[in-house]
Amino acid sequence: MSAIRFEPTKQYYATTSLVVGYALCSSLLAVINKFAITKFNYPGLLTALQYVTSALGVWLLGKFGFLHHDPFKLDIANKFLPAAVVFYLAIFTNTNLLRHANVDTFIVFRSLTPLLVALADTIFRRQPCPSKLTFMSLLIILGGAVAYVATDSAFTLTAYSWAFSYLVTITTEMVYIKHMVMNLGLNTWGFVLYNNFLSLMMAPIFWVLTGECNEVFAALVANGGNWFEPVAFTAVSLSCLFGLLISFFGFATRKAVSATAFTVTGVVNKFLTVMINVLIWDKHATPFGLVCLLFTLSGGVLYQQSVTGPPLHDSTASKQTGDASDNDDHEDNQDKKMAGKHASI
């Protein structure tokens, strides 16, 4: 009897750790990226450096036996390519939104995604319709975020264009990547490797289309080949490091929770982003706007309560948890074998 209770408890803490790790990385990465873009105004090159760090980091750690990732195969890459395209577009529009707008604008459009993802899950993935409590919590998140940004500076046309592009791509990415995670059969690090490597292959196309390559070459000539100042180099390095961390926590969390829960986590963790935004940037919301933010956070808490069931007494949930645990145990055993080989060397 104790063993039956232990597994759901273990799974609960594992899932909680993944969600917390993703929340911290997501919050800090948004601030670091905003700072990096301020000091290094080339969003395409910045994201490409993140892709290089993540893909190369996973490959090297796999080579030395610190982790296990699925081998790169062309047939799997072809199946994964549409998801990588959507992922690249989401990151591309996100980075340019941060480039042309303040953090508050980013937050309100990011906050619109849980409601849209919930609808997309129901329509396209045939998931159950959200309960009344869940739907109400999503409306609270949306209402609080809209009221928060309404107290801040007005949007520009350029910012609006990138914001709507981001809204479309991030909603598609949330639902479609969840489908790929559940059906393609790769482990977490395998997804990180495929996603970042394929995204890196697409980067030169967007450099040419956006004209950023000309800006980079012109800056190199003007600066005599000196790319970075110390502060900019530090910001870019941190951005690349957190890009690797969020790749792992992002995909691992997608496997552990629903697409809507994953999206809501991304919205709620913006609280830390807003706190730092108030401290370091010139434009930020009024005290009333911060009160509106509390409504957004309360909506996130209400959502978690609405989708959390009693795992010890719900046989269906226990079965689903058991299936997930079996998959995680299989991956853990593979990682332990690889780590054991490295330790013996």
Side-chain angles (χ1 to χ4, degrees):
M1 190 70 176
S2 59
I4 297 177
R5 295 185 178 182
F6 175 76
E7 288 302 326
T9 302
K10 181 180 179 182
Q11 183 68 23
Y12 170 79
Y13 285 115
T15 302
T16 302
S17 299
L18 290 175
V19 171
V20 171
Y22 168 71
L24 290 175
C25 289
S26 179
S27 299
L28 293 176
L29 182 61
V31 177
I32 292 172
N33 279 343
K34 180 65 176 179
F35 182 63
I37 291 173
T38 303
K39 298 298 181 180
F40 185 72
N41 195 22
Y42 306 105
L45 182 56
L46 176 62
T47 54
L49 291 173
Q50 290 180 347
Y51 298 143
V52 170
T53 302
S54 297
L56 185 61
V58 170
W59 183 79
L60 288 175
L61 290 173
K63 274 289 185 181
F64 287 102
F66 287 104
L67 56 84
H68 170 77
H69 64 78
D70 297 287
F72 189 87
K73 297 180 180 179
L74 288 179
D75 58 332
I76 297 179
N78 289 332
K79 295 178 181 179
F80 194 86
L81 184 59
V85 172
V86 176
F87 172 80
Y88 185 92
L89 291 175
I91 299 299
F92 180 77
T93 54
N94 173 24
T95 306
N96 279 279
L97 174 57
L98 285 174
R99 184 186 188 187
H100 294 284
N102 56 36
V103 176
D104 301 331
T105 305
F106 165 74
I107 290 174
V108 70
F109 278 90
R110 183 68 172 81
S111 300
L112 291 171
T113 56
L115 182 58
L116 297 180
V117 169
L119 294 175
D121 265 346
T122 302
I123 296 173
F124 299 109
R125 299 187 65 241
R126 298 181 180 179
Q127 297 295 313
C129 294
S131 65
K132 293 181 180 179
L133 182 60
T134 299
F135 192 77
M136 182 180 67
S137 66
L138 293 174
L139 289 180
I140 291 175
I141 293 174
L142 173 62
V146 171
Y148 172 78
V149 176
T151 63
D152 206 353
S153 59
F155 300 147
T156 64
L157 180 61
T158 302
Y160 251 124
S161 300
W162 283 114
F164 278 110
S165 299
Y166 171 71
L167 180 60
V168 172
T169 54
I170 193 62
T171 302
T172 305
E173 191 259 354
M174 289 291 178
V175 178
Y176 189 64
I177 291 288
K178 178 69 176 181
H179 170 75
M180 297 297 293
V181 168
M182 300 303 294
N183 292 280
L184 201 53
L186 296 172
N187 67 4
T188 297
W189 288 114
F191 273 106
V192 174
L193 177 63
Y194 276 85
N195 208 36
N196 286 279
F197 182 77
L198 293 176
S199 296
L200 179 61
M201 296 298 100
M202 289 181 281
I205 299 175
F206 285 85
W207 291 347
V208 175
L209 292 178
T210 60
E212 186 175 317
C213 57
N214 297 327
E215 297 178 12
V216 172
F217 289 137
L220 282 176
V221 173
N223 296 332
N226 183 21
W227 279 29
F228 300 105
E229 296 177 356
V231 176
F233 180 80
T234 301
V236 172
S237 299
L238 288 174
S239 178
C240 292
L241 174 62
F242 275 81
L244 174 60
L245 293 176
I246 200 172
S247 292
F248 168 72
F249 281 109
F251 277 117
T253 305
R254 287 178 199 272
K255 278 190 174 184
V257 301
S258 68
T260 307
F262 178 82
T263 309
V264 170
T265 302
V267 172
V268 173
N269 68 36
K270 293 302 178 291
F271 177 71
L272 178 59
T273 304
V274 171
M275 289 180 59
I276 299 177
N277 180 60
V278 171
L279 296 175
I280 67 175
W281 303 114
D282 295 334
K283 296 181 179 181
H284 54 78
T286 62
F288 176 75
L290 297 179
V291 173
C292 295
L293 179 60
L294 294 179
F295 281 98
T296 302
L297 296 177
S298 64
V301 173
L302 183 62
Y303 170 81
Q304 294 296 336
Q305 294 297 321
S306 69
V307 299
T308 301
L312 298 181
H313 303 289
D314 190 339
S315 59
T316 303
S318 298
K319 182 178 179 181
Q320 293 173 345
T321 302
D323 294 339
S325 298
D326 291 341
N327 293 333
D328 292 340
D329 289 342
H330 176 66
E331 293 181 12
D332 289 342
N333 290 335
Q334 289 177 319
D335 292 339
K336 289 176 182 178
K337 290 178 181 178
M338 298 299 292
K341 292 180 180 178
H342 175 75
S344 63
I345 295 174

